[in-house]
Amino acid sequence: MTGETNGTTELPLVISVDDHVIEPAHLFETWLPAKYRDRGPKPLTAGIGELAYIGGKYKFTTDPEGQQTDWWQYEGDLFPYKRIIAAVGFSRDEMTLDGITREQMRRGCWDPKARLADMDLNHVEASLCFPTFPRFCGQTFAEARDKEVGLACVRAYNDWMVEEWCGDSGGRLIPLCLIPLWDVDLAVQEVRRNAARGVRAVTFSEIPTYLGLPSIHSGYWDPFFAECEATGTVVCMHIGSSSQMPAASPDAPPAVQAALSFNNAMASMMDFLFSGVLVSFPRLKLAYAEGQMGWIPYALERADDVWEEHRAWGGVRDLIPEPPSTYYYRQIYCCFFRDRHGVASLDTIGVDNATFETDYPHVDSTWPHTRRIAAEHVAGLSPETTYKILRGNAIRMLELDLDRRG
């Protein structure tokens, strides 16, 4: 499927592999079984006090006289929505840490019909959305004390995602589901349950040990990886899905973490390349969201050099039989929204490995200028390569029922 550009060539309609959804207030009241609703998340609108982003963590206070904000209340804790995560429609100087209500947001943040309309305005045909209140890979429920309710919340979120958020979109809204991170057997069951109804993407932590979970080197996650491989489910890892963002100093301004955000994706990719996971599961697909891609050429060069020069003492001589870049090109997808250096390095990054995102409705979002920004990035690329990075690779990665060229 194609659309218009600036009058010279046609630009394919974009498939965005990293957007976000603000959960509607009725989600858990509607989708959580009745016996859990008293203990499940509840929506709340109330004033917010001071809000800061320190060392990669949000710190806030409540204030009855403060800015009216929509929150979730869960197990005695409060989770506020912030303007920077529902930033579309605001000017750059208005994209702050202030609290926000759903009424103050652009409706496409939480309403699927309005989202489709905003996609139409933005040259986007299809969109994969990460969660907000559950956090990028469901950490909110993994940290819950009552794991029975936490599991019910994971399943309720997934049911809402598949049946309500994506259900009437004609395939344009692509389901992305959670797993119960605290139990690999339950995670396998949830992947299988959702794959049976056509889901082909699941969120996972870029660095599980930061969440107090076993590492990917331990073998603990192998049943999960095996089920994802068997069902064609892509393991999607968003920057910040380790609940930590890199910072040079604990008192650095938030801009430092924003500029370094790709570091977590780079660290995670190295972990996988040297873990043996991609050797053991050769059809497993990994996707890194919002990590950009300009760093990948050197990372691959260094990984291959270490494999060649240091493997005798580095613990990978018998574990990784081929250069690590082999497994990247075979099984890993990256994505970008503003990365001219990455586009200039596509020959090394891989024209079959790069995908595109719009990051709607976050502060980095290219909405409503995605068509122009995408056209500027792909200027000079062949039609075949343009098609692949804006659309075709996402179709192949997610096994989408859209056109299957490229």
Side-chain angles (χ1 to χ4, degrees):
M1 181 172 290
T2 57
E4 297 179 354
T5 62
N6 57 9
T8 55
T9 59
E10 289 187 333
L11 187 76
L13 287 173
V14 166
I15 296 176
S16 176
V17 299
D18 172 34
D19 293 319
H20 302 266
V21 61
I22 304 297
E23 296 78 19
H26 68 261
L27 192 159
F28 295 101
E29 178 66 26
T30 300
W31 293 97
L32 197 62
K35 67 178 180 178
Y36 297 119
R37 287 177 194 157
D38 286 346
R39 293 178 286 162
K42 295 179 179 59
L44 172 71
T45 303
I48 193 170
E50 296 293 323
L51 181 62
Y53 190 63
I54 302 170
K57 305 283 186 180
Y58 289 106
K59 310 290 183 183
F60 61 87
T61 60
T62 57
D63 182 355
E65 303 300 319
Q67 168 74 38
Q68 286 292 288
T69 299
D70 277 344
W71 312 65
W72 287 100
Q73 191 171 24
Y74 181 47
E75 289 201 336
D77 294 322
L78 291 172
F79 302 82
Y81 283 127
K82 301 162 286 291
R83 189 178 290 184
I84 61 168
I85 56 92
V88 291
F90 293 97
S91 71
R92 289 293 169 189
D93 289 334
E94 294 175 313
M95 295 179 184
T96 65
L97 289 173
D98 291 345
I100 191 171
T101 65
R102 290 180 187 82
E103 280 206 9
Q104 295 167 330
M105 300 174 191
R106 190 170 180 87
R107 191 177 179 91
C109 293
W110 51 269
D111 179 274
K113 290 183 179 178
R115 175 64 65 93
L116 292 173
D118 276 355
M119 290 161 58
D120 289 337
L121 290 173
N122 201 33
H123 201 74
V124 174
E125 182 181 10
S127 168
L128 182 81
C129 291
F130 283 82
T132 302
F133 161 62
R135 316 221 296 278
F136 292 143
C137 64
Q139 302 101 299
T140 296
F141 303 127
E143 294 168 1
R145 294 179 292 278
D146 189 330
K147 289 299 192 290
E148 182 183 0
V149 176
L151 177 60
C153 288
V154 166
R155 290 173 172 166
Y157 178 91
N158 291 341
D159 291 344
W160 164 81
M161 166 62 62
V162 173
E163 299 183 35
E164 183 176 327
W165 178 252
C166 300
D168 294 328
S169 71
R172 295 186 63 192
L173 295 173
I174 306 161
L176 175 62
C177 286
L178 305 175
I179 59 169
L181 288 163
W182 60 92
D183 187 311
V184 70
D185 294 327
L186 292 175
V188 167
Q189 293 174 26
E190 192 61 13
V191 169
R192 187 176 300 142
R193 181 176 83 96
N194 291 304
R197 50 181 172 174
V199 175
R200 292 295 179 266
V202 65
T203 62
F204 188 62
S205 176
E206 60 200 354
I207 308 174
T209 54
Y210 285 2
L211 303 179
L213 299 169
S215 82
I216 63 166
H217 304 274
S218 67
Y220 175 83
W221 296 104
D222 284 2
F224 165 68
F225 295 138
E227 189 64 27
C228 289
E229 180 184 55
T231 57
T233 299
V234 184
V235 177
C236 299
M237 295 171 284
H238 196 283
I239 56 165
S241 57
S242 59
S243 293
Q244 292 188 33
M245 293 293 281
S249 307
D251 55 350
V256 172
Q257 286 119 40
L260 291 174
S261 59
F262 71 93
N263 276 11
N264 281 2
M266 182 166 59
S268 176
M269 192 175 84
M270 286 297 185
D271 230 16
F272 272 100
L273 290 179
F274 285 109
S275 68
V277 168
L278 301 180
V279 178
S280 299
F281 306 102
R283 296 183 308 280
L284 179 68
K285 293 179 284 188
L286 308 181
Y288 286 99
E290 207 170 323
Q292 309 299 334
M293 61 184 188
W295 52 271
I296 289 176
Y298 176 70
L300 293 178
E301 178 183 342
R302 180 60 180 164
D304 284 355
D305 282 349
V306 167
W307 178 85
E308 180 67 35
E309 306 294 341
H310 301 269
R311 63 180 180 268
W313 69 271
V316 295
R317 180 175 55 189
D318 300 321
L319 186 63
I320 311 298
E322 298 181 73
S325 62
T326 305
Y327 309 103
Y328 163 81
Y329 290 118
R330 187 175 74 187
Q331 296 173 251
I332 297 179
Y333 294 84
C334 57
C335 78
F336 74 102
F337 50 85
R338 291 187 188 90
D339 191 341
R340 294 180 184 275
H341 184 74
V343 172
S345 304
L346 269 177
D347 285 347
T348 305
I349 291 167
V351 296
D352 294 317
N353 301 81
T355 60
F356 195 72
E357 62 166 293
T358 79
D359 200 31
Y360 182 108
H362 282 188
V363 65
D364 263 326
S365 180
T366 55
W367 188 92
H369 307 298
T370 294
R371 183 174 69 85
R372 173 179 59 79
I373 292 169
E376 290 170 355
H377 276 72
V378 302
L381 299 180
S382 70
E384 179 184 10
T385 297
T386 295
Y387 175 86
K388 284 184 175 183
I389 65 176
L390 295 185
R391 180 180 185 82
N393 291 339
I395 289 174
R396 180 166 48 86
M397 178 180 83
L398 294 163
E399 300 180 17
L400 299 179
D401 189 22
L402 298 169
D403 57 297
R404 293 178 178 273
R405 292 188 297 130

